[in-house]
Amino acid sequence: MSNLNDKVAMRHMDMCMEQEEKYTEAVLSDTERLQSKLQSEMASRLAFDLSTPPLRWGPWLYYRRVEEGKQYPVLCRRLASLNEEFISHKSPAAGFDFTSGKKIEQKLLDYNKEAERFGGYAYEELSEVSPDHRFIAYTMYDKDNDYFMLCVRNLNSGSLCSMPQAVRVSNIAWAKDGQALLYVVTDHNKRPYRIYCSIIGSTDEDVLLLEEPDENVYVNMRHTKDFHFVSVNTFSTKSSKVFLINAANPLSGLILVWDCDGLAHCIIEHHQGYLYLFTDAAKEGRDVDNHYLLRSPVDASSSQRIWESVFTDNKDMVVEDVDFCKTHLALIIREGWKIRLCSVALPLSVSKGPVHLKELHPYFFPLPKHVSQISPGPNYDYYSSTMRFTLSSPVMPDAVVDYDLSNGKWNIIQQQNMLHERTRVLYGTASSDKIIEKYSNIKSCDSMNDVKYEDVNLWNDLSEFYACEHYDVSSYDGILVPLTIVYSRKYKQENQNPGLLHGHGAYGELLDKRWHSELKSLLDRGWVVAYADVRGGGGGGKKWHHDGRRTNKKNSIEDYISCAKFLIEKEIVHENKLSGWGYSAGGLLVASAINCHPDLFRAAVLKVPFLDATNTLLYPILPLTAADYEEFGYPGDIDDFHAIRNYSPYDNVQKDVLYPAVLITSSFSTSFGVWEAAKWVARVRESTFNDPKRPILLNLTTDIVEENKYLQCKESALETAFLLKMMES
């Protein structure tokens, strides 16, 4: 199956997958009506936002909207100054200039037409409007050749520019106020290794600025928010470097501004003569657990450049992310496992040296209760004090919020309304002004910071109907693992409810605990949905990540098992009704847990899972990155090799035991080949006891599912019907 260039092998694989599909259909044939009902339920909850909320950058409002009957969106813009009082976040295209008698909207890029250019498929990875708003550079996926093609379009004429012409493009950045475009290309193993500069409108060949010959070194770049510089990162597991390119003269060369040992995350920003570096690099040869912020004068000599810390170290208040505008610095702060959002005024004092964050009088912005993630928006406009963030919670649809860093005002720009007739917040109807009015008579409230915003029901929070609880679960070695559970207040019964336990635990990534409307179908049928923040994932610092990778991968699996046992022992979930759910590396986590304790689970859903770690890491058929080996181990290292063999799901299937029912969904487009899923399914069927009530199913999905919400509903309905059937049987 892994011989992708062997036509005979591919024909056999097609036949095999067809048989698997028929078997899955046969096993779930008695759930067809249920699947149809679930799909209707889920489709009815889809957000029918015909437009993304307009994003202001300079004089323009940019947004994407879907035209009736079309599959792909259209990128549009309108001048904010025309009918400024009419800025609809729901339907920005409705604006009209009554003076000229023309529509305000300007169509920039129709992705339906792009689909015609790329074989009926329109997938864009990158897009950047030039700082002078005259051009847009974007990359489209060429499915036939499996690479991204660079396109540059003139926004005034709508025509494509003849230059640059480049393929395998992984990164783009504008320079010279939109007159030059820098782009990164990858080699045939998808390693970014070259940077070119193209002068827009010129017929000259693009200039090679950097080529990295070392196959272990990767190249990345981005422009600073004020467009004064383009920062270039070269990194490997051995070292990380940051160079600067003067955006006004991109051919003037690269200047080294940062160099450290080991793989480090490094983001450079420029603000009024100072470079700011946000990094997690080791300090004085010692690994650090979290990111920190440094600064250095931009005109300092490279050989004598000194970086000083902006904040003093504080384990109780960790900076997770930063964003700059001309007047303020926005910070996402973590206190334990709780996250907060605040801002401080710029410029910072130069003479003070490192200071405690509290000394800068941070303004903490309102957040909903149970917020699990804060994601910064594009925030292109360096000169605007308004920044956009998306707030996520297990019991609240994602809220897109604009915060004004200069005065503390905020406005919910867009949020799906799950309550329909019980609307609380929809398209900007909630704002700080309403709270100020409501709390104007509270004498004890000295400032807006003192208002208990999370208690003010303005967030379209569903906690009136669905409870969200947090627990610290003791793992096998005494480490406390955060566990979040969500359930319907109406249907909660002690020791009776079925449960679904999510896990991921890889790459230091946050576990997705956002509200997903498809899970409402399980919650409303009495299910408990739980999330285990196991080691290897994000939210607990670098040590939390490192304690669950390579030779420590066992910790992730044991953490997940401990959370599963906790749900049963505390009678939150019925002992015979617990199921697992894992996506990609999370599929490895759940499958490994099943190998260790097959009796603990009744069912599991594994989506495009990583199941054959030993063979994939030893003999990669699809390209793997250094980050993949850092995460799962180097098979050439003897300790790593033994650890891989001990946790790899395919190598540790138990014999002559009863396994839970498992539904695996895989795809040809995944980085973990479909043959991994097929091999694991075959081995489990061969090695374990066969029970018709606990089938092992493999379902192949198409690439189009990711692009089509209704196909996503169909797939979710199949998975939900599978779980419901397995619990009832």
Side-chain angles (χ1 to χ4, degrees):
M1 283 189 175
S2 59
N3 293 332
L4 301 178
N5 297 319
D6 186 332
K7 291 183 179 179
V8 176
M10 289 301 98
R11 200 174 303 123
H12 281 293
M13 180 159 71
D14 288 341
M15 292 172 61
C16 177
M17 291 300 104
E18 188 178 335
Q19 293 298 317
E20 290 288 357
E21 191 175 352
K22 286 180 179 178
Y23 177 54
T24 300
E25 286 178 4
V27 171
L28 298 177
S29 60
D30 58 342
T31 68
E32 285 182 3
R33 288 183 64 183
L34 175 60
Q35 286 184 52
S36 179
K37 184 176 187 300
L38 289 166
Q39 190 175 348
S40 297
E41 284 179 18
M42 294 172 184
S44 71
R45 300 187 202 113
L46 286 177
F48 290 100
D49 299 327
L50 298 179
S51 168
T52 60
L55 183 72
R56 184 161 188 165
W57 182 18
W60 294 98
L61 290 166
Y62 289 89
Y63 54 93
R64 296 171 192 247
R65 63 179 181 81
V66 178
E67 296 180 325
E68 190 174 348
K70 299 290 181 69
Q71 182 177 357
Y72 296 104
V74 181
L75 176 65
C76 306
R77 71 180 177 188
R78 51 177 281 194
L79 281 169
S81 58
L82 292 174
N83 299 77
E84 192 162 343
E85 73 279 0
F86 188 86
I87 297 178
S88 166
H89 296 296
K90 186 174 183 181
S91 182
F96 193 80
D97 181 7
F98 294 98
T99 306
S100 65
K102 294 180 180 179
K103 267 193 144 183
I104 291 172
E105 180 180 84
Q106 179 185 354
K107 285 187 183 180
L108 305 178
L109 188 55
D110 187 340
Y111 291 95
N112 298 285
K113 292 181 180 177
E114 293 297 312
E116 294 173 11
R117 291 176 59 215
F118 290 94
Y121 186 75
Y123 178 66
E124 175 193 75
E125 185 179 47
L126 307 167
S127 66
E128 293 281 346
V129 174
S130 62
D132 60 0
H133 303 275
R134 291 175 54 213
F135 298 96
I136 182 172
Y138 58 103
T139 59
M140 298 297 298
Y141 182 59
D142 187 327
K143 194 176 177 183
D144 293 335
N145 295 300
D146 189 29
Y147 57 52
F148 284 91
M149 180 185 292
L150 177 62
C151 309
V152 178
R153 194 175 288 272
N154 187 314
L155 295 181
N156 293 322
S157 66
S159 60
L160 277 170
C161 299
S162 57
M163 295 283 284
Q165 290 186 347
V167 296
R168 300 198 305 274
V169 173
S170 64
N171 222 217
I172 51 180
W174 287 100
K176 214 172 179 179
D177 199 28
Q179 297 175 49
L181 179 70
L182 279 59
Y183 60 91
V184 179
V185 298
T186 65
D187 61 17
H188 290 284
N189 289 322
K190 299 187 178 181
R191 177 183 69 93
Y193 77 121
R194 284 179 179 167
I195 298 180
Y196 288 93
C197 177
S198 177
I199 305 299
I200 304 300
S202 170
T203 56
D204 296 340
E205 281 194 13
D206 298 345
V207 179
L208 179 65
L209 300 183
L210 174 73
E211 180 170 11
E212 181 49 68
D214 189 334
E215 293 183 355
N216 297 310
V217 178
Y218 293 73
V219 176
N220 194 9
M221 71 175 182
R222 62 186 291 276
H223 63 77
T224 56
K225 289 191 72 173
D226 61 3
F227 284 98
H228 284 194
F229 298 97
V230 174
S231 63
V232 176
N233 294 53
T234 63
F235 54 93
S236 69
T237 55
K238 294 181 179 178
S239 70
S240 301
K241 297 178 181 180
V242 183
F243 301 85
L244 279 190
I245 296 175
N246 183 350
N249 185 10
L251 302 181
S252 61
L254 288 77
I255 300 170
L256 180 68
V257 295
W258 174 262
D259 185 5
C260 68
D261 293 332
L263 182 63
H265 179 233
C266 304
I267 298 286
I268 287 272
E269 271 301 343
H270 172 251
H271 185 273
Q272 296 185 11
Y274 276 83
L275 296 176
Y276 287 84
L277 174 67
F278 189 60
T279 183
D280 61 354
K283 282 185 178 180
E284 298 173 355
R286 294 183 180 180
D287 284 343
V288 296
D289 201 22
N290 303 290
H291 284 73
Y292 53 95
L293 189 63
L294 301 173
R295 70 175 171 183
S296 176
V298 71
D299 54 4
S301 150
S302 293
S303 59
Q304 298 176 346
R305 181 173 295 279
I306 297 173
W307 291 90
E308 66 171 12
S309 295
V310 174
F311 303 116
T312 55
D313 292 337
N314 184 358
K315 292 182 180 179
D316 298 325
M317 190 178 282
V318 174
V319 180
E320 287 282 283
D321 204 355
V322 297
D323 203 348
F324 284 80
C325 68
K326 186 178 180 182
T327 58
H328 286 81
L329 170 65
L331 302 110
I332 298 173
I333 303 293
R334 177 167 54 81
E335 298 174 343
W337 285 86
K338 183 181 179 181
I339 51 176
R340 302 180 73 185
L341 176 66
C342 71
S343 70
V344 296
L346 292 175
L348 301 176
S349 172
V350 179
S351 57
K352 280 189 174 181
V355 296
H356 194 285
L357 179 59
K358 289 181 179 178
E359 294 180 45
L360 299 176
H361 309 292
Y363 184 92
F364 285 90
F365 289 97
L367 297 172
K369 199 174 183 181
H370 305 302
V371 64
S372 60
Q373 190 172 348
I374 303 173
S375 306
N379 297 328
Y380 291 118
D381 201 334
Y382 173 74
Y383 298 98
S384 171
S385 62
T386 298
M387 283 194 186
R388 181 165 294 175
F389 295 87
T390 299
L391 311 181
S392 303
S393 159
V395 287
M396 181 196 77
D398 282 2
V400 181
V401 185
D402 279 355
Y403 290 100
D404 191 331
L405 277 55
S406 65
N407 58 24
K409 291 188 176 182
W410 56 281
N411 193 28
I412 297 178
I413 297 303
Q414 196 174 63
Q415 185 180 33
Q416 186 188 0
N417 174 32
M418 295 300 299
L419 303 178
H420 299 293
E421 72 279 359
R422 295 169 65 91
T423 304
R424 293 204 184 100
V425 176
L426 192 61
Y427 300 118
T429 57
S431 67
S432 53
D433 293 337
K434 294 192 175 183
I435 285 191
I436 292 170
E437 183 182 336
K438 182 170 182 177
Y439 280 84
S440 59
N441 296 322
I442 300 179
K443 294 180 180 178
S444 61
C445 183
D446 297 325
S447 70
M448 282 182 61
N449 257 18
D450 296 323
V451 178
K452 296 290 185 184
Y453 290 98
E454 61 179 31
D455 298 331
V456 181
N457 218 343
L458 285 171
W459 296 100
N460 198 13
D461 192 305
L462 303 174
S463 54
E464 178 184 341
F465 310 99
Y466 304 102
C468 180
E469 297 175 0
H470 304 276
Y471 297 92
D472 288 326
V473 177
S474 180
S475 190
Y476 78 107
D477 55 358
I479 294 295
L480 296 179
V481 181
L483 176 68
T484 303
I485 69 165
V486 180
Y487 59 88
S488 168
R489 296 185 186 277
K490 184 177 179 181
Y491 297 107
K492 182 72 170 71
Q493 294 177 318
E494 202 167 285
N495 198 26
Q496 292 297 317
N497 298 73
L500 182 64
L501 179 59
H502 289 73
H504 185 67
Y507 298 104
E509 295 171 350
L510 283 173
L511 177 63
D512 184 3
K513 298 194 287 286
R514 294 174 299 164
W515 168 265
H516 290 281
S517 60
E518 62 269 22
L519 290 176
K520 189 175 187 294
S521 294
L522 285 176
L523 292 168
D524 290 348
R525 286 170 172 83
W527 281 59
V528 173
V529 178
Y531 303 89
D533 278 299
V534 303
R535 280 172 282 185
K542 191 187 284 188
K543 186 177 186 302
W544 189 262
H545 169 214
H546 287 188
D547 284 350
R549 66 172 192 166
R550 292 181 67 172
T551 55
N552 293 324
K553 197 68 196 169
K554 172 190 174 185
N555 291 336
S556 302
I557 300 160
E558 291 291 348
D559 290 352
Y560 186 80
I561 291 168
S562 297
C563 289
K565 289 179 177 178
F566 178 88
L567 290 171
I568 293 169
E569 290 167 2
K570 297 298 180 182
E571 300 186 341
I572 297 169
V573 172
H574 188 281
E575 63 177 342
N576 294 321
K577 293 185 178 181
L578 179 62
S579 52
W581 194 97
Y583 172 79
S584 190
L588 179 147
L589 175 77
V590 178
S592 297
I594 289 172
N595 282 341
C596 296
H597 290 275
D599 57 327
L600 196 55
F601 302 91
R602 181 66 186 81
V605 173
L606 310 179
K607 293 176 72 71
V608 290
F610 183 27
L611 295 172
D612 188 12
T614 306
N615 284 299
T616 296
L617 293 168
L618 272 172
Y619 313 110
I621 293 155
L622 300 172
L624 296 176
T625 66
D628 295 322
Y629 288 107
E630 281 291 305
E631 190 63 36
F632 299 106
Y634 293 87
D637 179 290
I638 190 65
D639 293 331
D640 278 9
F641 178 76
H642 286 303
I644 294 165
R645 283 298 300 267
N646 286 334
Y647 73 68
S648 175
Y650 178 69
D651 295 304
N652 293 281
V653 173
Q654 291 195 40
K655 289 188 176 182
D656 301 329
V657 296
L658 189 60
Y659 262 47
V662 180
L663 171 64
I664 296 181
T665 60
S666 193
S667 165
F668 287 113
S669 63
T670 174
S671 56
F672 305 124
V674 68
W675 51 88
E676 288 198 25
K679 284 171 66 177
W680 188 84
V681 164
R683 177 162 284 187
V684 172
R685 287 175 182 162
E686 180 187 44
S687 302
T688 63
F689 287 140
N690 177 35
D691 182 351
K693 291 185 177 181
R694 295 177 177 233
I696 308 296
L697 306 178
L698 175 57
N699 188 51
L700 198 65
T701 63
T702 62
D703 301 339
I704 308 168
V705 169
E706 292 182 7
E707 294 289 312
N708 191 306
K709 288 185 176 181
Y710 291 98
L711 286 178
Q712 288 176 6
C713 285
K714 186 176 182 181
E715 188 178 324
S716 296
L718 175 76
E719 294 165 8
T720 305
F722 165 79
L723 290 171
L724 292 170
K725 175 182 168 73
M726 293 308 111
M727 293 305 158
E728 288 170 3
S729 64

